[in-house]
């Protein structure tokens, strides 16, 4: 989670109105050069288990831009507005009419009923002049546990950062790790009731080569600390036999699914697909969650007032979505001329894309790439430039782009973080950039 600053810490922050608090957040993002990350505390957080003594060294040597050295500031008014937009999306997704609508273009695997909601929805926002704008939703959003370690490693380099440590403290009332383990147990109970959860596997293709491998290790340790057997594996190592999912000699109870094979159609996912069809293991997140939330075509539906009205979305929810989702449309060849003329104000994304792959700013498009977009399955979204965080990088004041990720489970925001970067889309290749802890500045009416 982010933390709200105690107004008593700084006269600048006392009794701020919404407008004042927005101004202060912008001023701090532009002017605060405070280096708050304590690398030794980060090492302690990452290497709590003696088996992981080289985890931070691995990150520093092979993932040097995973963590930013400073926090990002957000007005609590904007934080509350993001929560309102998320709640509005959740109300729409709960409607029978929404399910019928998105299942028209969903794969067969997505239509299997399940009581599991899907862990770690990621709602990603840019802060535009009109406030937070929902850019996309992801169903296997990575980074949550890494960001808990990052938040706990912040030192009080200025008054505004001071409350962050208490807000994410282990064993505290808002301990994110406790919320995460409760989330996985909730997924299990939804499917298996009071049966005992014993074995969890964290699954991704060639996990040892994945950029977020350090987080897989952290989740393995988290599960182990709570009495579970936990393993990291490639989907090809799993076997479906005798009505069960197996990893070697171990029966798998729950799969924390980090694959980007969202419909489980690739050959390597065959055992998982069989287990999903038979409901032989609790798989989370799962194909149904991706179809309901994360297919990019859903953004065009959520931005279409007529569609929402037709499936029974009430006026207040439609108003929140209209203000919080940039105009989005499916790309159709018959609209080619209009799209090309207006391309400079658009951002193009593949319907089944993830991780900014094959996404294009319209003002950077060549005609050849545009023709490929027309032939593919894309959406066009009104361009909302990200806000900025100015930091000293190598002694030079540098403006980094900033987006905000809300980790959400069953409609509740568990954690708010920022990603700082340069370039067209988020990445972890920017000196000075990476994940950043978020401090929310209080507003009198937020």
């Amino acid at each position: 989670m982010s933390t709200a600053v105690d107004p008593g810490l700084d006269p600048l922050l006392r009794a701020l109105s919404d407008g004042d608090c927005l101004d202060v957040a912008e001023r701090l993002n532009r002017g605060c050069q405070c280096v708050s990350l304590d690398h030794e505390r980060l090492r302690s957080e990452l290497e709590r288990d003696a088996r992981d003594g080289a985890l931070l060294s691995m990150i520093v040597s092979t993932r040097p831009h995973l963590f930013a050295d400073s926090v990002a500031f957000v007005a609590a008014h904007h934080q509350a507005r993001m929560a309102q937009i998320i709640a509005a999306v959740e109300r729409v997704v709960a409607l029978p009419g929404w399910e019928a609508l998105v299942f028209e273009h969903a794969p067969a695997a997505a239509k299997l009923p399940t009581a599991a909601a899907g862990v770690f929805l990621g709602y990603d926002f840019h802060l535009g002049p009109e406030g937070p704008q929902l850019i996309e939703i992801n169903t296997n959003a990575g980074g949550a546990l890494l960001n808990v370690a990052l938040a706990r490693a912040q030192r009080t380099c200025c008054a505004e950062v001071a409350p962050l440590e208490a807000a994410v403290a282990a064993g505290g009332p808002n301990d994110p790790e406790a919320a995460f383990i409760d989330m996985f147990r909730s997924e299990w109970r939804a499917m298996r009731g009071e049966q005992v959860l014993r074995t969890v596997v964290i699954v991704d293709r060639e996990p040892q080569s994945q950029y977020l491998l350090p987080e897989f290790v952290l989740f393995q340790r988290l599960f182990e600390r709570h009495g579970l057997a936990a393993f990291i594996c490639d989907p090809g190592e799993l076997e479906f036999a005798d009505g069960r999912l197996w990893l070697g000699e171990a029966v798998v109870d729950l799969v924390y699914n980090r694959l980007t094979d969202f419909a489980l159609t690739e050959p390597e996912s065959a055992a998982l697909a069989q287990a999903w069809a038979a409901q032989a293991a609790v798989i989370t997140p799962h194909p149904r969650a991706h179809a309901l939330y994360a297919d990019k075509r859903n953004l065009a539906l959520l931005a279409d007032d007529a569609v929402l009205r037709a499936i029974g979305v009430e006026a207040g929810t439609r108003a929140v979505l209209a203000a919080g989702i940039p105009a989005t449309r499916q790309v159709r060849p018959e609209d080619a001329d209009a799209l090309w003329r207006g391309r400079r104000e658009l951002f193009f994304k593949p319907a089944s894309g993830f991780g900014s792959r094959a996404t294009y700013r319209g003002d950077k498009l060549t005609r050849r790439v545009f023709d490929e977009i027309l032939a593919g399955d894309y959406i066009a979204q009104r361009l909302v430039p990200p806000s900025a965080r100015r930091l000293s990088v190598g002694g030079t004041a540098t403006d980094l782009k900033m987006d905000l990720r809300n980790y959400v489970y069953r409609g509740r925001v568990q954690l708010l973080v920022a990603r700082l970067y340069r370039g067209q889309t988020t990445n972890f290749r920017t000196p000075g950039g990476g994940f950043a802890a978020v401090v929310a500045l209080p507003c009198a009416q937020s």
Side-chain angles (χ1 to χ4, degrees):
M1 66 201 62
S2 69
T3 180
V5 175
D6 178 356
L9 289 171
D10 194 317
L12 184 66
L13 303 175
R14 291 184 187 132
L16 293 172
S17 68
D18 286 353
D20 290 337
C21 128
L22 299 179
D23 290 342
V24 172
E26 175 68 14
R27 195 181 316 162
L28 288 169
N29 280 328
R30 289 287 181 182
C32 176
Q33 303 294 309
C34 174
V35 175
S36 54
L37 179 58
D38 184 325
H39 287 265
E40 282 307 309
R41 289 175 65 179
L42 181 61
R43 181 186 303 279
S44 297
E45 286 295 328
L46 294 173
E47 299 175 0
R48 280 186 278 175
D49 191 290
R51 292 169 290 176
D52 304 328
L55 198 54
L56 183 59
S57 296
M58 179 177 70
I59 290 173
V60 171
S61 62
T62 62
R63 299 157 175 83
H65 310 308
L66 181 59
F67 297 123
D69 280 340
S70 299
V71 300
F73 299 94
V74 175
H77 174 74
H78 279 162
Q79 184 182 28
R81 187 61 177 170
M82 286 187 284
Q84 291 171 353
I85 295 166
I86 291 165
V89 172
E90 296 284 345
R91 289 194 294 273
V92 173
V93 172
L95 294 174
W98 176 259
E99 180 178 302
L101 197 61
V102 300
F103 281 1
E104 291 178 5
H105 56 243
K111 300 174 185 178
L112 184 69
T114 178
V119 298
F120 289 122
L121 279 177
Y123 283 77
D124 295 344
F125 289 82
H126 285 179
L127 293 182
E130 59 277 85
Q133 296 289 291
L134 179 63
I135 301 303
E136 64 182 42
I137 307 171
N138 295 288
T139 48
N140 61 351
L145 203 48
L146 288 167
N147 276 287
V148 174
L150 178 64
R152 289 175 175 170
Q154 303 299 315
R155 61 185 178 84
T156 305
C157 63
C158 61
E160 290 79 12
V161 181
L164 190 56
E165 181 177 5
V168 295
N174 299 311
D175 182 356
E177 288 187 353
F180 295 163
I181 201 72
D182 286 349
M183 171 178 62
F184 282 99
R185 291 195 182 280
S186 175
E187 292 287 274
W188 174 256
R189 287 193 299 272
M191 296 294 292
R192 298 290 189 262
E194 296 307 311
Q195 294 182 38
V196 178
L197 172 62
R198 292 185 174 89
T199 304
V200 178
V201 294
I202 302 152
V203 178
D204 205 351
R205 289 289 301 276
E206 300 179 354
Q208 296 301 316
S209 68
Q210 292 292 332
Y211 189 81
L212 290 182
L213 172 64
E215 182 172 56
F216 299 172
V217 174
L218 293 179
F219 270 108
Q220 183 181 25
R221 302 297 180 244
L222 177 65
F223 293 134
E224 289 172 344
R225 287 198 297 274
H226 286 83
L228 303 173
F231 305 93
I232 301 167
C233 74
D234 182 278
E237 298 178 66
L238 298 169
E239 181 181 8
F240 182 72
D242 302 323
R244 295 179 173 183
L245 186 65
W246 299 81
L247 177 64
E249 298 298 315
V251 175
V252 175
D253 294 325
L254 185 146
V255 176
Y256 176 21
N257 175 22
R258 297 289 292 248
L259 293 168
T260 53
D261 174 18
F262 302 116
L264 303 179
T265 55
E266 296 175 1
E268 295 81 3
S269 303
L272 273 178
Q274 291 173 291
W276 168 247
Q279 297 289 277
V282 176
I283 299 174
T284 184
H286 45 67
R288 186 181 184 90
H290 184 268
L292 289 172
Y293 288 95
D295 187 301
K296 301 299 184 289
R297 289 169 290 194
N298 295 356
L299 291 169
L301 299 175
L302 289 167
D304 190 324
D305 189 74
V307 166
L308 297 178
R309 193 165 53 248
I311 64 171
V313 180
E314 49 87 22
T317 296
R318 298 202 315 271
V320 171
L321 295 176
I325 299 179
T328 307
R329 60 193 291 191
Q330 286 192 245
V331 172
R332 297 183 173 89
E334 57 266 32
D335 299 326
D337 290 343
L339 289 167
W340 180 254
R341 287 194 303 270
R343 69 189 185 282
R344 296 183 184 281
E345 303 302 321
L346 297 173
F347 199 93
F348 295 86
K349 302 178 182 182
S352 59
F354 63 94
S356 302
R357 297 186 182 186
T359 61
Y360 304 96
R361 278 183 59 131
D363 57 355
K364 308 290 185 183
L365 279 183
T366 64
R367 190 75 205 204
R368 178 188 63 79
V369 172
F370 181 68
D371 289 342
E372 292 175 357
I373 289 172
L374 291 175
D377 193 0
Y378 270 74
I379 63 165
Q381 187 177 69
R382 177 175 61 83
L383 180 65
V384 180
S387 54
R389 176 72 169 102
R390 180 172 294 165
L391 295 173
S392 177
V393 180
T396 302
T398 303
D399 282 345
L400 301 179
K401 297 174 182 177
M402 179 174 81
D403 80 349
L404 296 169
R405 167 164 287 180
N406 293 259
Y407 295 94
V408 176
Y409 180 62
R410 293 189 183 271
R412 178 178 177 269
V413 178
Q414 297 174 306
L415 190 70
L416 172 62
V417 306
R419 295 180 293 180
L420 307 181
Y421 63 100
R422 299 184 75 179
Q424 179 172 282
T425 56
T426 53
N427 59 70
F428 293 96
R429 299 185 299 273
T430 300
F435 285 122
V438 169
V439 173
L441 304 176
C443 304
Q445 302 172 21
S446 62

